[in-house]
Amino acid sequence: MDKNSEIPIGWVVQDLGNITYLNMGQSPPSSTYNNEGIGLPFFQGKTEFQELYPYINKFCSDPLKIVDKDDILISVRAPVGPTNLAPEKSSIGRGLAGIKSFSGMHSKFLLFQLRSIENKISDLGTGTTFKAISSSNLASISIFLPPLNEQQRIVSKIEELFSDLDNGMANLKLAQNQLKVYRQALLKHAFEGKLTEQWRKENKPEPAEKLLERIKEERKKRYEQELKDWKAAVKAWEKDGKKEQRPSRPSKPIVPEKPNDFHESKKWELPKGWDWSQLGLVTFITKLAGFEYTKYVSYDEDGDLSVIKAENAGPNGFKRTDYSRIKSETVSNLKRSRLSGGELLVVFVGAGTGNVAVVPKYSNYFLGPNIGMARPYGNIDSKYLEFFYQSPMGKDILMVTVKAVAQPSLSMGTIRQTPLVIPSIEEQNLIIQILDAQFSVVENLERTIESGLQKSEALRQSILKKAFEGKLVPQDPNDEPASELLNRIEAEKKKHLEQQKQQKKRKPKNTKKMSKELSIEEVLKTSDKPMLAKDVWQKSKHKENIEDFYMELKDIQSKIKEVKKGTESLLSLV
């Protein structure tokens, strides 16, 4: 809260550190963690946070920092500001701080007040790699303190209003999920032939095998024409004195490997006249090679060509972003990677692996890293391919061959190998038409729901704002002034601090255990030569938490010398 804000009658404003006990978390040795319920519940950061209480996922047999039931848990690093209440006596790690209130001060009152200023608390965090808030900054947060009875009335009113709000939001989210289920059901029915079943009975479309035969002939003729054009280009090159690089001979159309047993196990029964093919048989598939990216691609703000990346293919199709740009003359020889609109994009590495999207028509782009392109033959519309691989069965069959080492990935070979359902062109276009119409309705409903959720969240913040301006519930002149409550809080906090001191004096030091938990600086002191950063991490007390390792590394960066050796970093003390 802003200390300069108008203070309601009977309220006082105090720094958080003056009216509570701040208990900054400390991560115990990873050897003390367990999932068998030995010791106290352990919370490292906000990962386990829920609406009010975190779920218990881990325990600690030898905790270093302990909070009591209903103490506030606040995330103090990456991110800063989110809050929960301790469900029971618990251990907290470096990513959290505990906030203990005194003299009957309502924990939920303080919790709601901290949530009302969560963005401001986040702004107090510092750091580039990982944002964190110091104990002094946390302690300096201004808190409005009303009389105790008024705190209770405020909490009761907030809970009453939030209950109605939560019910409404739950219904909106249920509808949101039902739309997702409906979307997937439509896609499933489309590629089982159910959406167009009546149309087939009435129209008797051409069998898919005839379309596939025409595509096969088209691939052959296109290659023959490319050979013819190449020979003419070679002759022109020779006639011109062979001044520049000799034109490259076109590659033969790639015939993908037959679907493997895993592919076959994912197939389903098709309507009469439909057929199974492979993506590599009905499209030309390519990507930007790694050496091409390194040698030719240089981003330029003044470039005339937008670069398509993996981020542009989302779960529901194409996503426009702030594109990187290049100058078209710098990539004039990479004709395979020039997109003119209508191509199918396939993400082949990273978190979005398997996402597909159609490039907007009549638009020029350049195919960037981590994303492949499939250009259809035989008048097949890429939108049909997009819908197929967005369907639950199509996505499943595409991801059969995914490799997951450090991150999921697909090769161009396995993308070409992927099975694909093919009906006639007329039926493909009808499927596109039906799905487009249905999804347009779905998307309008989704936008309405999302708008409703945003308004509900804004209303939630408005309720909190009014609550801590003293405008949510009536004041009672008979309430004990907050100044009296403040006196009791100060006395109770003083007593608590004295108890903490006595406990520290009685607690024996475990020097043997401490000697095994080395800081980064201590690890580096054990070696007379630079160490690989990953070795320092594994030998330090942070071997179970890379985030904490980087945080300490940042704290002591003035004492550390880093030298790059290829892709590795060598660390030593200055």
Side-chain angles (χ1 to χ4, degrees), residues 301-514:
E301 290 182 1
D302 298 322
D304 60 318
L305 205 54
S306 297
V307 179
I308 293 288
K309 299 180 184 178
E311 63 191 30
N312 298 114
N316 293 327
F318 193 81
K319 291 167 56 181
R320 298 183 184 276
T321 58
D322 292 329
Y323 303 104
S324 299
R325 306 186 72 82
I326 56 172
K327 291 184 176 178
S328 53
E329 61 264 26
T330 64
V331 291
S332 58
N333 59 325
L334 301 179
K335 294 180 181 178
R336 289 181 301 106
S337 295
R338 292 294 291 268
L339 307 175
S340 55
E343 299 88 352
L344 180 75
L345 302 171
V346 184
V347 179
F348 62 81
V349 67
T353 297
N355 283 350
V356 293
V358 176
V359 179
K361 291 185 177 180
Y362 317 115
S363 304
N364 292 318
Y365 292 97
F366 183 78
L367 187 67
N370 301 338
I371 193 162
M373 177 275 287
R375 185 176 287 123
Y377 298 110
N379 295 324
I380 290 177
D381 193 323
S382 291
K383 195 67 182 175
Y384 173 83
L385 303 177
E386 179 189 53
F387 282 145
F388 178 78
Y389 289 115
Q390 284 176 348
S391 72
M393 311 99 75
K395 182 68 174 281
D396 198 25
I397 213 165
L398 174 63
M399 299 295 281
V400 156
T401 53
V402 72
K403 295 178 181 177
V405 185
Q407 55 183 342
S409 65
L410 292 164
S411 68
M412 291 299 102
T414 56
I415 291 174
R416 293 186 183 101
Q417 185 187 17
T418 304
L420 172 69
V421 168
I422 297 289
S424 68
I425 287 293
E426 294 80 7
E427 195 164 0
Q428 289 180 35
N429 291 336
L430 181 59
I431 288 170
I432 293 170
Q433 181 183 335
I434 293 171
L435 291 177
D436 271 339
Q438 291 295 314
F439 288 167
S440 177
V441 174
V442 168
E443 286 163 8
N444 285 336
L445 289 171
E446 286 175 334
R447 281 192 288 270
T448 301
I449 290 171
E450 186 59 36
S451 174
L453 289 171
Q454 290 174 0
K455 288 176 181 177
S456 295
E457 190 55 42
L459 180 56
R460 185 185 299 272
Q461 289 303 311
S462 175
I463 291 169
L464 291 175
K465 184 173 183 293
K466 284 185 176 180
F468 302 109
E469 289 174 344
K471 299 176 181 178
L472 190 64
V473 298
Q475 291 187 289
D476 186 342
N478 295 318
D479 284 343
E480 177 190 64
S483 56
E484 294 296 323
L485 171 63
L486 186 59
N487 291 333
R488 292 201 304 276
I489 288 172
E490 289 175 350
E492 195 172 324
K493 181 179 177 182
K494 183 178 179 181
K495 182 178 178 182
H496 177 78
L497 292 175
E498 287 295 329
Q499 291 174 343
Q500 292 291 310
K501 285 181 183 179
Q502 294 300 320
Q503 288 175 2
K504 285 181 180 179
K505 287 179 182 179
R506 290 194 296 267
K507 189 174 181 180
K509 293 182 179 180
N510 191 338
T511 55
K512 182 178 180 181
K513 181 175 288 187
M514 289 300 292

Side-chain angles (χ1 to χ4, degrees), residues 222-358:
R222 187 172 295 191
Y223 175 62
E224 289 171 351
Q225 184 60 50
E226 288 173 349
L227 275 178
K228 186 177 178 181
D229 294 343
W230 169 71
K231 289 175 181 177
V234 170
K235 284 183 179 180
W237 171 73
E238 290 172 342
K239 187 176 180 179
D240 197 36
K242 302 181 180 181
K243 291 179 181 178
E244 297 182 4
Q245 186 177 354
R246 188 177 190 273
S248 300
R249 183 186 179 97
S251 301
K252 289 183 179 181
I254 297 173
V255 177
E257 291 183 19
K258 295 290 183 183
N260 60 34
D261 291 342
F262 293 109
H263 287 128
E264 295 295 340
S265 70
K266 298 290 183 180
K267 288 183 177 181
W268 57 95
E269 187 177 350
L270 301 180
K272 184 179 179 181
W274 288 30
D275 212 341
W276 283 101
S277 185
Q278 292 173 274
L279 189 59
L281 290 177
V282 299
T283 66
F284 167 70
I285 296 174
T286 191
K287 69 170 184 174
L288 178 69
F291 77 90
E292 292 173 330
Y293 177 77
T294 303
K295 186 173 182 180
Y296 298 107
V297 178
S298 179
Y299 297 135
D300 189 325
E301 290 182 1
D302 298 322
D304 60 318
L305 205 54
S306 297
V307 179
I308 293 288
K309 299 180 184 178
E311 63 191 30
N312 298 114
N316 293 327
F318 193 81
K319 291 167 56 181
R320 298 183 184 276
T321 58
D322 292 329
Y323 303 104
S324 299
R325 306 186 72 82
I326 56 172
K327 291 184 176 178
S328 53
E329 61 264 26
T330 64
V331 291
S332 58
N333 59 325
L334 301 179
K335 294 180 181 178
R336 289 181 301 106
S337 295
R338 292 294 291 268
L339 307 175
S340 55
E343 299 88 352
L344 180 75
L345 302 171
V346 184
V347 179
F348 62 81
V349 67
T353 297
N355 283 350
V356 293
V358 176

Side-chain angles (χ1 to χ4, degrees), residues 152-162 463 472-473:
Q152 181 60 59
R153 293 196 298 274
I154 288 172
V155 169
S156 296
K157 189 63 177 178
I158 289 175
E159 290 184 327
E160 176 192 335
L161 295 173
F162 276 13
I463 291 169
L472 190 64
V473 298

Side-chain angles (χ1 to χ4, degrees), residues 16-224:
L16 181 65
N18 290 342
I19 58 173
T20 66
Y21 173 66
L22 299 182
N23 186 7
M24 304 302 287
Q26 184 177 347
S27 299
S30 58
S31 59
T32 66
Y33 301 167
N34 69 89
N35 300 108
E36 288 76 45
I38 301 170
L40 296 179
F42 175 65
F43 306 111
Q44 180 71 273
K46 77 165 287 286
T47 306
E48 295 87 6
F49 278 16
Q50 300 182 107
E51 179 57 33
L52 194 58
Y53 294 101
Y55 68 88
I56 299 172
N57 188 45
K58 189 182 293 184
F59 293 81
C60 177
S61 60
D62 191 11
L64 296 177
K65 290 297 183 79
I66 296 173
V67 292
D68 292 318
K69 177 177 169 56
D70 285 334
D71 282 358
I72 294 172
L73 306 176
I74 183 167
S75 179
V76 293
R77 61 181 67 231
V80 171
T83 49
N84 257 202
L85 293 176
E88 57 185 272
K89 189 173 184 179
S90 307
S91 170
I92 57 172
R94 195 178 179 190
L96 298 177
I99 303 175
K100 179 182 292 295
S101 56
F102 298 104
S103 200
M105 188 167 68
H106 208 294
S107 291
K108 284 187 180 179
F109 174 84
L110 187 53
L111 176 84
F112 287 139
Q113 188 166 173
L114 291 173
R115 287 184 174 181
S116 74
I117 55 171
E118 186 174 314
N119 289 337
K120 293 180 180 179
I121 296 173
S122 178
D123 290 341
L124 293 175
T126 58
T128 51
T129 307
F130 296 108
K131 202 172 185 181
I133 186 171
S134 66
S135 58
S136 58
N137 280 345
L138 190 60
S140 69
I141 295 170
S142 297
I143 296 295
F144 277 20
L145 193 65
L148 200 56
N149 288 341
E150 190 170 349
Q151 289 182 37
Q152 181 60 59
R153 293 196 298 274
I154 288 172
V155 169
S156 296
K157 189 63 177 178
I158 289 175
E159 290 184 327
E160 176 192 335
L161 295 173
F162 276 13
S163 177
D164 294 338
L165 201 57
D166 289 341
N167 288 336
M169 291 182 74
N171 289 332
L172 287 173
K173 288 177 180 178
L174 177 62
Q176 199 174 48
N177 289 331
Q178 288 172 336
L179 286 175
K180 290 178 182 177
V181 172
Y182 176 64
R183 181 186 180 93
Q184 290 299 298
L186 277 174
L187 288 167
K188 184 174 184 290
H189 287 170
F191 299 105
E192 289 175 340
K194 294 177 182 178
L195 281 188
T196 48
E197 186 174 3
Q198 186 60 34
W199 179 88
R200 283 194 305 278
K201 291 177 182 177
E202 297 172 356
N203 291 273
K204 297 181 181 179
E206 173 188 73
E209 62 182 353
K210 290 189 176 181
L211 169 61
L212 294 173
E213 286 169 4
R214 289 198 300 272
I215 289 174
K216 185 176 180 180
E217 186 63 24
E218 181 185 339
R219 281 163 57 97
K220 179 183 175 184
K221 287 182 177 179
R222 187 172 295 191
Y223 175 62
E224 289 171 351

